[in-house]
mmCIF file of all heavy atoms in Angstrom:
data_model
loop_
_atom_site.group_PDB
_atom_site.id
_atom_site.type_symbol
_atom_site.label_atom_id
_atom_site.label_comp_id
_atom_site.label_asym_id
_atom_site.label_seq_id
_atom_site.Cartn_x
_atom_site.Cartn_y
_atom_site.Cartn_z
ATOM 1 N N GLU A 35 11.608 6.880 16.938
ATOM 2 C CA GLU A 35 13.018 7.216 16.856
ATOM 3 C C GLU A 35 13.501 7.247 15.402
ATOM 4 O O GLU A 35 14.620 7.671 15.121
ATOM 5 C CB GLU A 35 13.863 6.228 17.668
ATOM 6 C CG GLU A 35 13.661 4.772 17.320
ATOM 7 C CD GLU A 35 12.597 4.069 18.154
ATOM 8 O OE1 GLU A 35 11.514 4.644 18.359
ATOM 9 O OE2 GLU A 35 12.862 2.939 18.607
ATOM 10 N N HIS A 36 12.629 6.803 14.484
ATOM 11 C CA HIS A 36 12.924 6.831 13.043
ATOM 12 C C HIS A 36 11.974 7.798 12.344
ATOM 13 O O HIS A 36 10.855 8.041 12.809
ATOM 14 C CB HIS A 36 12.728 5.433 12.433
ATOM 15 C CG HIS A 36 13.538 4.354 13.082
ATOM 16 N ND1 HIS A 36 14.883 4.188 12.852
ATOM 17 C CD2 HIS A 36 13.175 3.375 13.954
ATOM 18 C CE1 HIS A 36 15.328 3.157 13.550
ATOM 19 N NE2 HIS A 36 14.311 2.646 14.234
ATOM 20 N N ASP A 37 12.393 8.329 11.190
ATOM 21 C CA ASP A 37 11.457 9.049 10.336
ATOM 22 C C ASP A 37 10.324 8.111 9.936
ATOM 23 O O ASP A 37 10.526 6.885 9.841
ATOM 24 C CB ASP A 37 12.167 9.562 9.080
ATOM 25 C CG ASP A 37 13.160 10.677 9.371
ATOM 26 O OD1 ASP A 37 13.018 11.340 10.427
ATOM 27 O OD2 ASP A 37 14.081 10.862 8.554
ATOM 28 N N PHE A 38 9.151 8.667 9.652
ATOM 29 C CA PHE A 38 7.981 7.819 9.460
ATOM 30 C C PHE A 38 8.203 6.753 8.391
ATOM 31 O O PHE A 38 7.907 5.570 8.609
ATOM 32 C CB PHE A 38 6.754 8.663 9.097
ATOM 33 C CG PHE A 38 5.514 7.836 8.908
ATOM 34 C CD1 PHE A 38 4.814 7.352 10.002
ATOM 35 C CD2 PHE A 38 5.076 7.499 7.636
ATOM 36 C CE1 PHE A 38 3.686 6.551 9.830
ATOM 37 C CE2 PHE A 38 3.954 6.705 7.455
ATOM 38 C CZ PHE A 38 3.255 6.232 8.563
ATOM 39 N N LEU A 39 8.713 7.110 7.239
ATOM 40 C CA LEU A 39 8.845 6.135 6.163
ATOM 41 C C LEU A 39 9.885 5.055 6.472
ATOM 42 O O LEU A 39 9.879 3.988 5.845
ATOM 43 C CB LEU A 39 9.183 6.833 4.853
ATOM 44 C CG LEU A 39 8.053 7.688 4.264
ATOM 45 C CD1 LEU A 39 8.529 8.425 3.018
ATOM 46 C CD2 LEU A 39 6.819 6.828 3.939
ATOM 47 N N ASP A 40 10.751 5.313 7.439
ATOM 48 C CA ASP A 40 11.730 4.307 7.846
ATOM 49 C C ASP A 40 11.192 3.361 8.916
ATOM 50 O O ASP A 40 11.846 2.371 9.257
ATOM 51 C CB ASP A 40 12.999 4.989 8.366
ATOM 52 C CG ASP A 40 13.733 5.764 7.285
ATOM 53 O OD1 ASP A 40 13.647 5.356 6.106
ATOM 54 O OD2 ASP A 40 14.366 6.787 7.600
ATOM 55 N N ARG A 41 10.011 3.662 9.435
ATOM 56 C CA ARG A 41 9.445 2.816 10.489
ATOM 57 C C ARG A 41 8.977 1.469 9.950
ATOM 58 O O ARG A 41 8.903 0.486 10.695
ATOM 59 C CB ARG A 41 8.293 3.551 11.182
ATOM 60 C CG ARG A 41 8.752 4.815 11.902
ATOM 61 C CD ARG A 41 7.599 5.609 12.481
ATOM 62 N NE ARG A 41 8.056 6.962 12.836
ATOM 63 C CZ ARG A 41 7.273 7.937 13.263
ATOM 64 N NH1 ARG A 41 5.960 7.703 13.415
ATOM 65 N NH2 ARG A 41 7.765 9.134 13.543
ATOM 66 N N PHE A 42 8.640 1.403 8.669
ATOM 67 C CA PHE A 42 8.224 0.132 8.081
ATOM 68 C C PHE A 42 9.356 -0.889 8.179
ATOM 69 O O PHE A 42 9.141 -2.039 8.585
ATOM 70 C CB PHE A 42 7.811 0.342 6.626
ATOM 71 C CG PHE A 42 6.583 1.188 6.443
ATOM 72 C CD1 PHE A 42 6.664 2.577 6.466
ATOM 73 C CD2 PHE A 42 5.344 0.606 6.241
ATOM 74 C CE1 PHE A 42 5.534 3.366 6.302
ATOM 75 C CE2 PHE A 42 4.203 1.373 6.062
ATOM 76 C CZ PHE A 42 4.300 2.764 6.106
ATOM 77 N N ALA A 43 10.554 -0.471 7.796
ATOM 78 C CA ALA A 43 11.705 -1.375 7.862
ATOM 79 C C ALA A 43 11.990 -1.786 9.302
ATOM 80 O O ALA A 43 12.306 -2.960 9.575
ATOM 81 C CB ALA A 43 12.937 -0.697 7.254
ATOM 82 N N ALA A 44 11.880 -0.847 10.230
ATOM 83 C CA ALA A 44 12.162 -1.152 11.628
ATOM 84 C C ALA A 44 11.160 -2.166 12.179
ATOM 85 O O ALA A 44 11.541 -3.096 12.912
ATOM 86 C CB ALA A 44 12.131 0.132 12.450
ATOM 87 N N ALA A 45 9.886 -2.003 11.834
ATOM 88 C CA ALA A 45 8.865 -2.949 12.298
ATOM 89 C C ALA A 45 9.103 -4.337 11.728
ATOM 90 O O ALA A 45 9.008 -5.350 12.432
ATOM 91 C CB ALA A 45 7.476 -2.441 11.922
ATOM 92 N N ALA A 46 9.421 -4.394 10.445
ATOM 93 C CA ALA A 46 9.676 -5.691 9.820
ATOM 94 C C ALA A 46 10.897 -6.362 10.442
ATOM 95 O O ALA A 46 10.909 -7.583 10.650
ATOM 96 C CB ALA A 46 9.859 -5.515 8.319
ATOM 97 N N ALA A 47 11.922 -5.583 10.744
ATOM 98 C CA ALA A 47 13.136 -6.144 11.347
ATOM 99 C C ALA A 47 12.854 -6.764 12.705
ATOM 100 O O ALA A 47 13.540 -7.708 13.122
ATOM 101 C CB ALA A 47 14.198 -5.056 11.469
ATOM 102 N N ASP A 48 11.821 -6.263 13.394
ATOM 103 C CA ASP A 48 11.447 -6.812 14.698
ATOM 104 C C ASP A 48 10.424 -7.940 14.584
ATOM 105 O O ASP A 48 9.896 -8.405 15.599
ATOM 106 C CB ASP A 48 10.900 -5.705 15.593
ATOM 107 C CG ASP A 48 12.002 -4.870 16.234
ATOM 108 O OD1 ASP A 48 13.125 -5.399 16.377
ATOM 109 O OD2 ASP A 48 11.748 -3.701 16.578
ATOM 110 N N GLY A 49 10.124 -8.360 13.371
ATOM 111 C CA GLY A 49 9.258 -9.514 13.188
ATOM 112 C C GLY A 49 7.792 -9.212 13.003
ATOM 113 O O GLY A 49 6.977 -10.137 12.911
ATOM 114 N N PHE A 50 7.409 -7.952 12.937
ATOM 115 C CA PHE A 50 6.008 -7.634 12.659
ATOM 116 C C PHE A 50 5.689 -7.946 11.200
ATOM 117 O O PHE A 50 6.502 -7.697 10.305
ATOM 118 C CB PHE A 50 5.711 -6.161 12.948
ATOM 119 C CG PHE A 50 5.597 -5.832 14.411
ATOM 120 C CD1 PHE A 50 6.648 -5.230 15.086
ATOM 121 C CD2 PHE A 50 4.439 -6.135 15.111
ATOM 122 C CE1 PHE A 50 6.544 -4.922 16.440
ATOM 123 C CE2 PHE A 50 4.320 -5.834 16.466
ATOM 124 C CZ PHE A 50 5.374 -5.228 17.129
ATOM 125 N N GLU A 51 4.486 -8.447 10.983
ATOM 126 C CA GLU A 51 4.032 -8.752 9.633
ATOM 127 C C GLU A 51 2.965 -7.781 9.149
ATOM 128 O O GLU A 51 2.549 -7.844 7.982
ATOM 129 C CB GLU A 51 3.477 -10.180 9.584
ATOM 130 C CG GLU A 51 4.520 -11.234 9.920
ATOM 131 C CD GLU A 51 3.953 -12.639 9.935
ATOM 132 O OE1 GLU A 51 2.714 -12.788 9.758
ATOM 133 O OE2 GLU A 51 4.735 -13.587 10.114
ATOM 134 N N ALA A 52 2.518 -6.881 10.034
ATOM 135 C CA ALA A 52 1.469 -5.937 9.672
ATOM 136 C C ALA A 52 1.687 -4.627 10.408
ATOM 137 O O ALA A 52 2.326 -4.592 11.471
ATOM 138 C CB ALA A 52 0.093 -6.508 10.020
ATOM 139 N N VAL A 53 1.134 -3.560 9.841
ATOM 140 C CA VAL A 53 1.223 -2.241 10.446
ATOM 141 C C VAL A 53 -0.127 -1.537 10.359
ATOM 142 O O VAL A 53 -0.978 -1.856 9.529
ATOM 143 C CB VAL A 53 2.301 -1.354 9.771
ATOM 144 C CG1 VAL A 53 3.683 -1.968 9.949
ATOM 145 C CG2 VAL A 53 1.985 -1.119 8.292
ATOM 146 N N GLU A 54 -0.283 -0.577 11.259
ATOM 147 C CA GLU A 54 -1.384 0.365 11.238
ATOM 148 C C GLU A 54 -0.805 1.722 11.612
ATOM 149 O O GLU A 54 0.327 1.818 12.070
ATOM 150 C CB GLU A 54 -2.468 -0.037 12.247
ATOM 151 C CG GLU A 54 -1.976 -0.043 13.695
ATOM 152 C CD GLU A 54 -3.062 -0.389 14.706
ATOM 153 O OE1 GLU A 54 -3.852 -1.307 14.427
ATOM 154 O OE2 GLU A 54 -3.103 0.258 15.761
ATOM 155 N N TYR A 55 -1.556 2.771 11.381
ATOM 156 C CA TYR A 55 -1.165 4.115 11.811
ATOM 157 C C TYR A 55 -2.371 5.018 11.656
ATOM 158 O O TYR A 55 -3.415 4.605 11.135
ATOM 159 C CB TYR A 55 0.050 4.650 11.033
ATOM 160 C CG TYR A 55 0.023 4.404 9.543
ATOM 161 C CD1 TYR A 55 -0.802 5.139 8.693
ATOM 162 C CD2 TYR A 55 0.854 3.444 8.976
ATOM 163 C CE1 TYR A 55 -0.816 4.915 7.337
ATOM 164 C CE2 TYR A 55 0.848 3.210 7.614
ATOM 165 C CZ TYR A 55 0.017 3.953 6.794
ATOM 166 O OH TYR A 55 -0.001 3.722 5.444
ATOM 167 N N LEU A 56 -2.236 6.251 12.129
ATOM 168 C CA LEU A 56 -3.379 7.160 12.097
ATOM 169 C C LEU A 56 -3.762 7.550 10.677
ATOM 170 O O LEU A 56 -4.865 7.269 10.224
ATOM 171 C CB LEU A 56 -3.094 8.401 12.941
ATOM 172 C CG LEU A 56 -3.026 8.197 14.454
ATOM 173 C CD1 LEU A 56 -2.697 9.517 15.143
ATOM 174 C CD2 LEU A 56 -4.334 7.625 14.986
ATOM 175 N N PHE A 57 -2.854 8.214 9.964
ATOM 176 C CA PHE A 57 -3.230 8.834 8.694
ATOM 177 C C PHE A 57 -2.159 8.637 7.630
ATOM 178 O O PHE A 57 -0.987 8.957 7.865
ATOM 179 C CB PHE A 57 -3.463 10.340 8.888
ATOM 180 C CG PHE A 57 -4.394 10.662 10.026
ATOM 181 C CD1 PHE A 57 -3.920 11.315 11.150
ATOM 182 C CD2 PHE A 57 -5.722 10.288 9.984
ATOM 183 C CE1 PHE A 57 -4.769 11.612 12.206
ATOM 184 C CE2 PHE A 57 -6.579 10.569 11.035
ATOM 185 C CZ PHE A 57 -6.102 11.238 12.153
ATOM 186 N N PRO A 58 -2.545 8.169 6.448
ATOM 187 C CA PRO A 58 -1.574 8.027 5.353
ATOM 188 C C PRO A 58 -1.449 9.275 4.487
ATOM 189 O O PRO A 58 -0.546 9.352 3.654
ATOM 190 C CB PRO A 58 -2.183 6.885 4.529
ATOM 191 C CG PRO A 58 -3.664 7.068 4.697
ATOM 192 C CD PRO A 58 -3.844 7.571 6.125
ATOM 193 N N TYR A 59 -2.316 10.248 4.656
ATOM 194 C CA TYR A 59 -2.528 11.299 3.657
ATOM 195 C C TYR A 59 -1.352 12.241 3.418
ATOM 196 O O TYR A 59 -1.254 12.808 2.322
ATOM 197 C CB TYR A 59 -3.802 12.072 4.004
ATOM 198 C CG TYR A 59 -4.933 11.126 4.341
ATOM 199 C CD1 TYR A 59 -5.389 10.999 5.657
ATOM 200 C CD2 TYR A 59 -5.487 10.307 3.359
ATOM 201 C CE1 TYR A 59 -6.378 10.083 5.980
ATOM 202 C CE2 TYR A 59 -6.475 9.384 3.682
ATOM 203 C CZ TYR A 59 -6.918 9.276 4.993
ATOM 204 O OH TYR A 59 -7.876 8.353 5.307
ATOM 205 N N PRO A 60 -0.435 12.419 4.362
ATOM 206 C CA PRO A 60 0.727 13.259 4.040
ATOM 207 C C PRO A 60 1.685 12.610 3.033
ATOM 208 O O PRO A 60 2.610 13.282 2.560
ATOM 209 C CB PRO A 60 1.423 13.436 5.399
ATOM 210 C CG PRO A 60 0.372 13.178 6.418
ATOM 211 C CD PRO A 60 -0.487 12.118 5.798
ATOM 212 N N TYR A 61 1.475 11.337 2.701
ATOM 213 C CA TYR A 61 2.400 10.601 1.860
ATOM 214 C C TYR A 61 1.688 10.086 0.610
ATOM 215 O O TYR A 61 0.495 9.791 0.631
ATOM 216 C CB TYR A 61 3.010 9.430 2.638
ATOM 217 C CG TYR A 61 3.681 9.875 3.908
ATOM 218 C CD1 TYR A 61 2.990 9.869 5.123
ATOM 219 C CD2 TYR A 61 4.984 10.346 3.898
ATOM 220 C CE1 TYR A 61 3.591 10.304 6.290
ATOM 221 C CE2 TYR A 61 5.597 10.787 5.064
ATOM 222 C CZ TYR A 61 4.895 10.772 6.250
ATOM 223 O OH TYR A 61 5.489 11.223 7.404
ATOM 224 N N ASP A 62 2.443 9.959 -0.433
ATOM 225 C CA ASP A 62 1.898 9.402 -1.661
ATOM 226 C C ASP A 62 1.589 7.923 -1.454
ATOM 227 O O ASP A 62 2.409 7.176 -0.896
ATOM 228 C CB ASP A 62 2.906 9.581 -2.800
ATOM 229 C CG ASP A 62 2.340 9.118 -4.129
ATOM 230 O OD1 ASP A 62 1.581 9.873 -4.744
ATOM 231 O OD2 ASP A 62 2.660 7.974 -4.531
ATOM 232 N N ALA A 63 0.430 7.501 -1.903
ATOM 233 C CA ALA A 63 0.015 6.115 -1.673
ATOM 234 C C ALA A 63 0.959 5.115 -2.322
ATOM 235 O O ALA A 63 1.200 4.030 -1.779
ATOM 236 C CB ALA A 63 -1.412 5.909 -2.181
ATOM 237 N N THR A 64 1.519 5.464 -3.472
ATOM 238 C CA THR A 64 2.427 4.523 -4.128
ATOM 239 C C THR A 64 3.710 4.343 -3.336
ATOM 240 O O THR A 64 4.291 3.250 -3.324
ATOM 241 C CB THR A 64 2.752 4.993 -5.560
ATOM 242 O OG1 THR A 64 3.311 6.308 -5.519
ATOM 243 C CG2 THR A 64 1.494 5.012 -6.415
ATOM 244 N N GLU A 65 4.177 5.409 -2.658
ATOM 245 C CA GLU A 65 5.362 5.290 -1.822
ATOM 246 C C GLU A 65 5.088 4.414 -0.603
ATOM 247 O O GLU A 65 5.913 3.574 -0.216
ATOM 248 C CB GLU A 65 5.837 6.664 -1.367
ATOM 249 C CG GLU A 65 7.027 6.646 -0.414
ATOM 250 C CD GLU A 65 8.277 6.016 -1.007
ATOM 251 O OE1 GLU A 65 8.399 5.963 -2.247
ATOM 252 O OE2 GLU A 65 9.128 5.555 -0.230
ATOM 253 N N LEU A 66 3.917 4.572 0.010
ATOM 254 C CA LEU A 66 3.551 3.719 1.137
ATOM 255 C C LEU A 66 3.425 2.263 0.691
ATOM 256 O O LEU A 66 3.875 1.350 1.399
ATOM 257 C CB LEU A 66 2.236 4.198 1.751
ATOM 258 C CG LEU A 66 2.268 5.586 2.395
ATOM 259 C CD1 LEU A 66 0.870 6.010 2.810
ATOM 260 C CD2 LEU A 66 3.204 5.616 3.602
ATOM 261 N N ARG A 67 2.844 2.046 -0.470
ATOM 262 C CA ARG A 67 2.725 0.692 -1.009
ATOM 263 C C ARG A 67 4.100 0.068 -1.211
ATOM 264 O O ARG A 67 4.330 -1.121 -0.922
ATOM 265 C CB ARG A 67 1.972 0.751 -2.333
ATOM 266 C CG ARG A 67 1.848 -0.556 -3.095
ATOM 267 C CD ARG A 67 0.749 -1.424 -2.535
ATOM 268 N NE ARG A 67 1.239 -2.486 -1.694
ATOM 269 C CZ ARG A 67 0.457 -3.346 -1.057
ATOM 270 N NH1 ARG A 67 -0.849 -3.263 -1.155
ATOM 271 N NH2 ARG A 67 0.974 -4.287 -0.303
ATOM 272 N N ARG A 68 5.039 0.859 -1.701
ATOM 273 C CA ARG A 68 6.388 0.355 -1.926
ATOM 274 C C ARG A 68 7.033 -0.060 -0.613
ATOM 275 O O ARG A 68 7.698 -1.097 -0.534
ATOM 276 C CB ARG A 68 7.246 1.402 -2.634
ATOM 277 C CG ARG A 68 8.644 0.901 -3.004
ATOM 278 C CD ARG A 68 9.402 1.931 -3.811
ATOM 279 N NE ARG A 68 9.809 3.061 -2.983
ATOM 280 C CZ ARG A 68 10.890 3.061 -2.207
ATOM 281 N NH1 ARG A 68 11.654 1.980 -2.117
ATOM 282 N NH2 ARG A 68 11.213 4.130 -1.519
ATOM 283 N N ARG A 69 6.833 0.758 0.444
ATOM 284 C CA ARG A 69 7.409 0.413 1.747
ATOM 285 C C ARG A 69 6.817 -0.891 2.274
ATOM 286 O O ARG A 69 7.527 -1.728 2.839
ATOM 287 C CB ARG A 69 7.169 1.545 2.738
ATOM 288 C CG ARG A 69 7.767 2.876 2.322
ATOM 289 C CD ARG A 69 9.252 2.945 2.541
ATOM 290 N NE ARG A 69 9.834 4.143 1.949
ATOM 291 C CZ ARG A 69 10.943 4.720 2.367
ATOM 292 N NH1 ARG A 69 11.620 4.217 3.389
ATOM 293 N NH2 ARG A 69 11.421 5.799 1.754
ATOM 294 N N LEU A 70 5.535 -1.054 2.107
ATOM 295 C CA LEU A 70 4.905 -2.307 2.532
ATOM 296 C C LEU A 70 5.485 -3.498 1.778
ATOM 297 O O LEU A 70 5.867 -4.513 2.384
ATOM 298 C CB LEU A 70 3.393 -2.237 2.298
ATOM 299 C CG LEU A 70 2.590 -1.249 3.146
ATOM 300 C CD1 LEU A 70 1.182 -1.104 2.579
ATOM 301 C CD2 LEU A 70 2.534 -1.702 4.604
ATOM 302 N N ASP A 71 5.558 -3.362 0.463
ATOM 303 C CA ASP A 71 6.033 -4.479 -0.356
ATOM 304 C C ASP A 71 7.505 -4.785 -0.107
ATOM 305 O O ASP A 71 7.906 -5.954 -0.037
ATOM 306 C CB ASP A 71 5.811 -4.162 -1.836
ATOM 307 C CG ASP A 71 4.331 -4.132 -2.215
ATOM 308 O OD1 ASP A 71 3.518 -4.664 -1.429
ATOM 309 O OD2 ASP A 71 4.007 -3.571 -3.278
ATOM 310 N N ASP A 72 8.304 -3.732 0.033
ATOM 311 C CA ASP A 72 9.736 -3.936 0.239
ATOM 312 C C ASP A 72 10.029 -4.719 1.515
ATOM 313 O O ASP A 72 11.055 -5.408 1.602
ATOM 314 C CB ASP A 72 10.470 -2.594 0.294
ATOM 315 C CG ASP A 72 10.640 -1.948 -1.073
ATOM 316 O OD1 ASP A 72 10.330 -2.613 -2.081
ATOM 317 O OD2 ASP A 72 11.062 -0.777 -1.129
ATOM 318 N N HIS A 73 9.133 -4.604 2.502
ATOM 319 C CA HIS A 73 9.408 -5.213 3.803
ATOM 320 C C HIS A 73 8.415 -6.315 4.167
ATOM 321 O O HIS A 73 8.380 -6.760 5.311
ATOM 322 C CB HIS A 73 9.426 -4.122 4.873
ATOM 323 C CG HIS A 73 10.442 -3.064 4.594
ATOM 324 N ND1 HIS A 73 11.796 -3.306 4.641
ATOM 325 C CD2 HIS A 73 10.305 -1.764 4.207
ATOM 326 C CE1 HIS A 73 12.458 -2.196 4.316
ATOM 327 N NE2 HIS A 73 11.579 -1.264 4.054
ATOM 328 N N GLY A 74 7.644 -6.757 3.190
ATOM 329 C CA GLY A 74 6.746 -7.886 3.415
ATOM 330 C C GLY A 74 5.670 -7.624 4.444
ATOM 331 O O GLY A 74 5.293 -8.530 5.201
ATOM 332 N N LEU A 75 5.149 -6.406 4.461
ATOM 333 C CA LEU A 75 4.167 -6.002 5.462
ATOM 334 C C LEU A 75 2.777 -5.869 4.867
ATOM 335 O O LEU A 75 2.610 -5.568 3.675
ATOM 336 C CB LEU A 75 4.570 -4.663 6.086
ATOM 337 C CG LEU A 75 5.846 -4.666 6.932
ATOM 338 C CD1 LEU A 75 6.296 -3.238 7.205
ATOM 339 C CD2 LEU A 75 5.628 -5.413 8.241
ATOM 340 N N ARG A 76 1.784 -6.040 5.734
ATOM 341 C CA ARG A 76 0.394 -5.794 5.370
ATOM 342 C C ARG A 76 -0.093 -4.548 6.092
ATOM 343 O O ARG A 76 0.208 -4.350 7.270
ATOM 344 C CB ARG A 76 -0.483 -6.990 5.761
ATOM 345 C CG ARG A 76 -0.121 -8.271 5.063
ATOM 346 C CD ARG A 76 -0.862 -9.466 5.646
ATOM 347 N NE ARG A 76 -2.307 -9.345 5.493
ATOM 348 C CZ ARG A 76 -3.175 -10.284 5.895
ATOM 349 N NH1 ARG A 76 -2.721 -11.384 6.488
ATOM 350 N NH2 ARG A 76 -4.456 -10.112 5.718
ATOM 351 N N GLN A 77 -0.846 -3.729 5.383
ATOM 352 C CA GLN A 77 -1.514 -2.580 6.006
ATOM 353 C C GLN A 77 -2.882 -3.061 6.475
ATOM 354 O O GLN A 77 -3.694 -3.522 5.672
ATOM 355 C CB GLN A 77 -1.687 -1.457 4.989
ATOM 356 C CG GLN A 77 -2.354 -0.210 5.528
ATOM 357 C CD GLN A 77 -1.386 0.665 6.297
ATOM 358 O OE1 GLN A 77 -0.290 0.901 5.850
ATOM 359 N NE2 GLN A 77 -1.806 1.131 7.455
ATOM 360 N N VAL A 78 -3.164 -2.955 7.787
ATOM 361 C CA VAL A 78 -4.412 -3.525 8.293
ATOM 362 C C VAL A 78 -5.398 -2.474 8.795
ATOM 363 O O VAL A 78 -6.565 -2.802 9.032
ATOM 364 C CB VAL A 78 -4.142 -4.564 9.401
ATOM 365 C CG1 VAL A 78 -3.340 -5.734 8.835
ATOM 366 C CG2 VAL A 78 -3.433 -3.958 10.595
ATOM 367 N N LEU A 79 -4.956 -1.222 8.944
ATOM 368 C CA LEU A 79 -5.862 -0.197 9.461
ATOM 369 C C LEU A 79 -5.249 1.184 9.293
ATOM 370 O O LEU A 79 -4.035 1.352 9.430
ATOM 371 C CB LEU A 79 -6.136 -0.423 10.954
ATOM 372 C CG LEU A 79 -7.029 0.603 11.665
ATOM 373 C CD1 LEU A 79 -8.485 0.474 11.213
ATOM 374 C CD2 LEU A 79 -6.941 0.450 13.187
ATOM 375 N N PHE A 80 -6.078 2.166 8.963
ATOM 376 C CA PHE A 80 -5.755 3.578 9.137
ATOM 377 C C PHE A 80 -7.065 4.329 9.301
ATOM 378 O O PHE A 80 -8.154 3.757 9.165
ATOM 379 C CB PHE A 80 -4.895 4.138 7.985
ATOM 380 C CG PHE A 80 -5.545 4.082 6.624
ATOM 381 C CD1 PHE A 80 -6.474 5.043 6.228
ATOM 382 C CD2 PHE A 80 -5.208 3.082 5.723
ATOM 383 C CE1 PHE A 80 -7.062 4.996 4.971
ATOM 384 C CE2 PHE A 80 -5.785 3.029 4.460
ATOM 385 C CZ PHE A 80 -6.710 3.997 4.089
ATOM 386 N N ASN A 81 -6.982 5.617 9.608
ATOM 387 C CA ASN A 81 -8.176 6.422 9.864
ATOM 388 C C ASN A 81 -8.585 7.225 8.634
ATOM 389 O O ASN A 81 -7.724 7.687 7.861
ATOM 390 C CB ASN A 81 -7.919 7.414 11.001
ATOM 391 C CG ASN A 81 -7.764 6.742 12.347
ATOM 392 O OD1 ASN A 81 -7.887 5.534 12.477
ATOM 393 N ND2 ASN A 81 -7.486 7.532 13.359
ATOM 394 N N ALA A 82 -9.870 7.461 8.504
ATOM 395 C CA ALA A 82 -10.360 8.416 7.520
ATOM 396 C C ALA A 82 -9.936 9.822 7.934
ATOM 397 O O ALA A 82 -9.628 10.071 9.108
ATOM 398 C CB ALA A 82 -11.881 8.325 7.417
#
C-alpha cells in the first residue's frame, strides 16, 4: 500500500527489525542503505 522506498518506515513502525525483498537493483544501493539506517533496520536477504 506504500511506494517501495516508504515500506522501510512502515515495517519499522510495526516493530520489525529486519527486512528482505526480491531485488534491490532498481534502486541505488546508497539510498537503500540510508532507508535501513534511518529506520534501524537490518537487510537480511535479497536475490541475485
Side-chain angles (χ1 to χ4, degrees):
E35 54 268 45
H36 304 283
D37 291 338
F38 181 77
L39 291 176
D40 294 330
R41 296 175 195 174
F42 294 82
D48 280 335
F50 284 101
E51 298 177 356
V53 297
E54 62 178 42
Y55 43 75
L56 291 178
F57 309 113
Y59 314 109
Y61 304 94
D62 185 80
T64 57
E65 176 61 22
L66 295 173
R67 175 80 259 178
R68 185 175 72 82
R69 300 283 171 154
L70 293 168
D71 292 343
D72 284 352
H73 302 292
L75 293 167
R76 298 171 62 178
Q77 181 80 46
V78 297
L79 178 71
F80 61 81
N81 291 358

